Amino acid sequence: MNMSTFRVNKETPILIIGAGSIGERHIRNLWQLGQRNLIVLRQRKLPLRNIGDAQIKVVTTWEEVDKYSPKVAFVCTITKLHLKEVVNCVNRDIHTFVEKPLSHTTEGLSALERSLSEHSVYLNVGYMMRFHPYIQRIREYISDKTFGNVITIQSKWAEYLPDWHPWEDYRTGYAALKELGGGVGLTLSHDIDQIFYLMDSMPNQYFVMPNYKSTLEVNVEAGMDILMKFADGTTANLHLNYFERVKERFLKVVFDEATVEFQFFDSTLTIRKSGSEDVIEQLDHFDRNDLFIDEARYFLEHLSNYKMEEVSNQIETSRKIIEICNNE
């Protein structure tokens, strides 16, 4: 069923829940997109680090939030609180964008899906890599069979956790602590979703091997290797870690007739064919923040014509990602 009666304008009250680094990013981006009625819910009214020129109203309780009657929300809390805050929004008929992952556990997802349907509320989980132009290009190569059938996919994402937010103690952040919903799988689950998006399906088989060997002071896996197999026989091999000092992130897709490699940090796309020179393309002036702007724009514009089937697909995709990350 289509939901096409709601449209966002610049004065639509938008709630941002959580004002850490990702919350501040969404505040800046929503302001850049022209939204002028931003309400920020956070535990304490502390100074914000970087929201640019954005003008906001800060509240600390849901009672205060309700006075503004927000129609749209962005959930940007620690992973453990994602589902709780999504439910708070859905029960108020608020269309909700939630940062990935939807939750750290599959418990409560079926109830959430029923509630979303009852309230006719749209839910979008923030996997912004779907908006990268090279990911979209590779998806077209796969669907159009530009180089024949895809045979296998390799993916790696490695960065050093203490370098992410140098102004914070990484040992106290959500990514480092199981009780906050951390772990490299959930934290870097973008690359799992990326494979699902490229294949336009989820695997029917998978094997997960977590790695706890690093010297990082965390109580979660800091590395993870994942093998997947899809119904058409395509396999995928993903490696995630946040213990590697020299960062590296790439995606390699092997087709019948060519190998296509996307290097994220270099913003390059390389096509290799036997007997011919490599074709290398590079994005000029690529800004990672554009991916966040594009996903926010898509969410806001899509509120006027989404289908509830899309919401169900989001839940099922999130369920599979969480199962894989928790090695269930």
Side-chain angles (χ1 to χ4, degrees):
M1 180 171 60
N2 284 312
M3 304 291 170
S4 57
T5 58
F6 179 73
R7 282 177 167 76
V8 174
N9 61 53
K10 68 178 183 178
E11 295 302 329
T12 299
I14 297 179
L15 174 67
I16 299 94
I17 305 174
S21 60
I22 188 62
E24 290 188 337
R25 182 188 295 276
H26 282 298
I27 291 168
R28 295 193 304 270
N29 290 345
L30 287 166
W31 190 262
Q32 182 176 331
L33 288 170
Q35 300 306 133
R36 292 296 180 262
N37 193 357
L38 305 180
I39 305 103
V40 178
L41 173 61
R42 60 186 320 206
Q43 293 179 335
R44 294 176 293 175
K45 290 187 178 182
L46 296 175
L48 294 173
R49 194 173 57 88
N50 179 20
I51 61 169
D53 299 328
Q55 299 175 25
I56 60 173
K57 309 173 189 72
V58 177
V59 297
T60 57
T61 67
W62 273 101
E63 288 74 16
E64 293 175 276
V65 169
D66 290 337
K67 295 177 183 178
Y68 292 101
S69 300
K71 306 300 182 185
V72 178
F74 283 69
V75 176
C76 307
T77 60
I78 61 173
T79 301
K80 182 182 178 181
L81 298 179
H82 282 185
L83 187 59
K84 173 187 174 182
E85 298 297 10
V86 168
V87 170
N88 281 333
C89 293
V90 173
N91 288 340
R92 291 170 168 80
D93 299 322
I94 301 173
H95 298 292
T96 306
F97 175 101
V98 56
E99 270 299 327
K100 63 79 204 163
L102 174 55
S103 182
H104 62 302
T105 173
T106 57
E107 184 178 350
L109 295 189
S110 296
L112 173 63
E113 185 173 7
R114 291 192 296 271
S115 185
L116 285 161
S117 179
E118 292 168 2
H119 288 266
S120 296
V121 167
Y122 182 59
L123 174 73
N124 186 247
V125 183
Y127 284 106
M128 85 288 186
M129 284 301 295
R130 293 183 174 212
F131 295 87
H132 195 289
Y134 284 157
I135 294 299
Q136 293 178 347
R137 177 92 63 82
I138 293 172
R139 192 168 189 251
E140 290 174 3
Y141 289 158
I142 293 173
S143 62
D144 295 345
K145 296 186 182 296
T146 305
F147 305 112
N149 293 309
V150 59
I151 301 172
T152 189
I153 300 174
Q154 300 172 31
S155 175
K156 178 181 179 180
W157 185 1
E159 293 193 60
Y160 189 51
L161 181 59
D163 290 343
W164 287 9
H165 298 155
W167 59 91
E168 297 174 347
D169 183 348
Y170 81 89
R171 296 170 296 183
T172 63
Y174 76 91
L177 299 171
K178 184 177 181 61
E179 56 270 27
L180 299 184
V184 76
L186 290 169
T187 305
L188 302 187
S189 59
H190 287 287
D191 279 23
I192 303 173
D193 178 78
Q194 188 172 268
I195 301 296
F196 292 3
Y197 180 66
L198 291 175
M199 292 297 298
D200 198 23
S201 66
M202 292 181 286
N204 54 7
Q205 293 177 261
Y206 62 86
F207 176 78
V208 180
M209 185 174 290
N211 187 313
Y212 296 88
K213 192 179 180 181
S214 81
T215 58
L216 290 174
E217 296 180 51
V218 301
N219 66 2
V220 291
E221 86 285 345
M224 181 174 284
D225 289 281
I226 307 167
L227 295 175
M228 299 180 188
K229 187 173 184 179
F230 293 82
D232 68 352
T234 301
T235 58
N237 180 348
L238 288 77
H239 175 78
L240 307 170
N241 83 64
Y242 41 47
F243 51 67
E244 199 163 336
R245 301 299 182 104
V246 180
K247 64 183 182 180
E248 183 178 24
R249 190 175 185 185
F250 69 81
L251 174 80
K252 182 185 292 186
V253 184
V254 180
F255 295 86
D256 290 322
E257 303 165 9
T259 296
V260 178
E261 183 171 331
F262 164 39
Q263 288 282 350
F264 178 80
F265 294 119
D266 295 337
S267 296
T268 59
L269 188 73
T270 302
I271 300 174
R272 297 187 175 93
K273 289 185 176 182
S274 177
S276 61
E277 292 187 5
D278 293 352
V279 177
I280 303 174
E281 179 181 332
Q282 184 170 31
L283 289 174
D284 293 329
H285 311 298
F286 173 71
D287 187 342
R288 176 173 170 266
N289 190 58
D290 289 344
L291 304 179
F292 293 92
I293 291 177
D294 288 345
E295 70 173 357
R297 181 188 292 114
Y298 172 85
F299 170 66
L300 296 176
E301 293 178 351
H302 200 54
L303 290 177
S304 64
N305 62 1
Y306 70 90
K307 299 177 181 178
M308 286 308 298
E309 180 184 1
E310 298 174 53
V311 176
S312 295
N313 290 340
Q314 293 257 356
I315 298 290
E316 289 312 303
T317 298
S318 290
R319 183 190 303 278
K320 182 61 69 176
I321 290 173
I322 295 165
E323 288 174 349
I324 290 173
C325 292
N326 290 336
N327 199 11
E328 297 176 359

